[in-house]
Amino acid sequence: MTAPATSRAGGPGGSSSRASSPTSGPRDGTRRPVGTALAALATVRDPELDEPITTLGFVTSCTVSADGDARVRLRLPTYFCAPNFAFLMVADAYDAVSGVAGVRSTEVVLEDHFASDAINGGVAARAGFVASFDGEAVSELHELRADFLRKAVLAGTDQVCRPLLAAGTSRAALLAMTLGEVPASAALDRLRQRRAELGLPAGPGAPLLIDPATGERIREEAAPLHLRRARSTRISIEANSSICRGMLRHRYGSAGLGQAPEEERRAR
């Protein structure tokens, strides 16, 4: 059985293929939807790290022919990255690029991974995770995705609350605060988006502190533990992200398409 993984990696690296640039345009001078396809890939996130696969450096190449045939190549930090995470990213990339105007066919290939054949074939056939790993997987990945979204909500809560606490906002004030009362920021926008994806309250009148599993407002006695969990979740995700970036650099030594420079990422 392929169980939800608790570790992203655990083995030797693969080949050293390099990231390539998207093609510019067809011979008739009209614009290909390559830029739009890459923008679509930027909406696909690593489920565990909650970051776009573009900024993480996972997109090796993205091309679109004059006839609208899109070809995407993906890579991961190690040969043994968890297949359930990998499947989600490849499937999401396929869906994102297939929805781009002007794209008539899509091929997404994960390279240098021990389960590449099963993942690439399953996604191309729209077979789902269970059918792609016949005899190994027992369920689809909806709950795994939701679990990671709940962690993203917790981490996002810490990202929003830390500046407020540092500015002198009391815990009691946080408990009474609504999302509409929080100063605007990219972290707040991200938190609201993740909550909306889970069907949790995300409007201006929604409480800032909620249980990511139930959507209920956090009670006063539960607030200290909730804030500690939010902080530890955020630290864990950021640490995993840093490890994965380092392993990817060591494995390939080149930036992926749309990958954010390290100094720019740290400034966010």
Side-chain angles (χ1 to χ4, degrees):
M1 178 180 73
T2 304
T6 55
S7 173
R8 294 188 56 86
S15 68
S16 57
S17 60
R18 303 289 175 175
S20 62
S21 299
T23 52
S24 55
R27 294 171 184 165
D28 62 5
T30 59
R31 177 180 173 82
R32 290 180 186 171
V34 173
T36 310
L38 190 58
L41 288 171
T43 69
V44 177
R45 303 193 300 268
D46 179 300
E48 183 188 28
L49 305 181
D50 193 40
E51 289 189 60
I53 60 174
T54 47
T55 59
L56 285 166
F58 293 173
V59 181
T60 304
S61 66
C62 174
T63 62
V64 182
S65 74
D67 294 325
D69 300 316
R71 300 292 179 264
V72 176
R73 297 294 181 270
L74 303 180
R75 62 186 186 178
L76 292 174
T78 79
Y79 186 71
F80 288 106
C81 283
N84 41 12
F85 299 164
F87 189 92
L88 282 173
M89 286 184 275
V90 174
D92 289 351
Y94 182 98
D95 290 341
V97 173
S98 295
V100 171
V103 169
R104 70 171 189 177
S105 72
T106 302
E107 176 188 68
V108 180
V109 174
L110 175 63
E111 301 175 322
D112 305 335
H113 189 274
F114 81 96
S116 290
D117 289 345
I119 292 171
N120 296 336
V123 169
R126 316 307 289 145
F129 186 67
V130 172
S132 300
F133 288 87
D134 188 25
E136 299 178 80
V138 296
S139 64
E140 295 299 334
L141 302 176
H142 311 301
E143 188 53 35
L144 178 66
R145 190 192 295 274
D147 282 344
F148 282 122
L149 272 174
R150 286 188 278 268
K151 290 181 179 180
V153 168
L154 273 175
T157 298
D158 183 71
Q159 290 169 338
V160 169
C161 289
R162 269 185 304 136
L164 296 173
L165 291 168
T169 304
S170 68
R171 187 185 299 157
L174 286 182
L175 283 165
M177 193 174 289
T178 64
L179 293 177
E181 295 170 331
V182 178
S185 68
L188 177 63
D189 292 342
R190 181 170 172 163
L191 174 61
R192 293 181 68 171
Q193 180 187 2
R194 302 300 183 268
R195 283 169 58 156
E197 288 178 31
L198 276 170
L200 298 173
L208 170 59
L209 299 184
I210 63 170
D211 185 323
T214 66
E216 296 179 359
R217 183 190 290 266
I218 296 297
R219 297 181 180 180
E220 183 177 359
E221 64 272 17
L225 177 60
H226 180 75
L227 291 173
R228 285 198 298 271
R229 284 182 60 214
R231 181 175 183 273
S232 64
T233 301
R234 189 262 308 167
I235 291 173
S236 176
I237 290 174
E238 290 180 356
N240 282 339
S241 175
S242 180
I243 291 170
C244 286
R245 289 174 188 274
M247 295 175 78
L248 190 75
R249 283 195 302 270
H250 178 74
R251 188 180 189 194
Y252 292 103
S254 62
L257 293 184
Q259 185 172 4
E262 190 72 9
E263 60 273 13
E264 177 185 326
R265 181 183 68 83
R266 290 176 177 176
R268 289 179 178 177

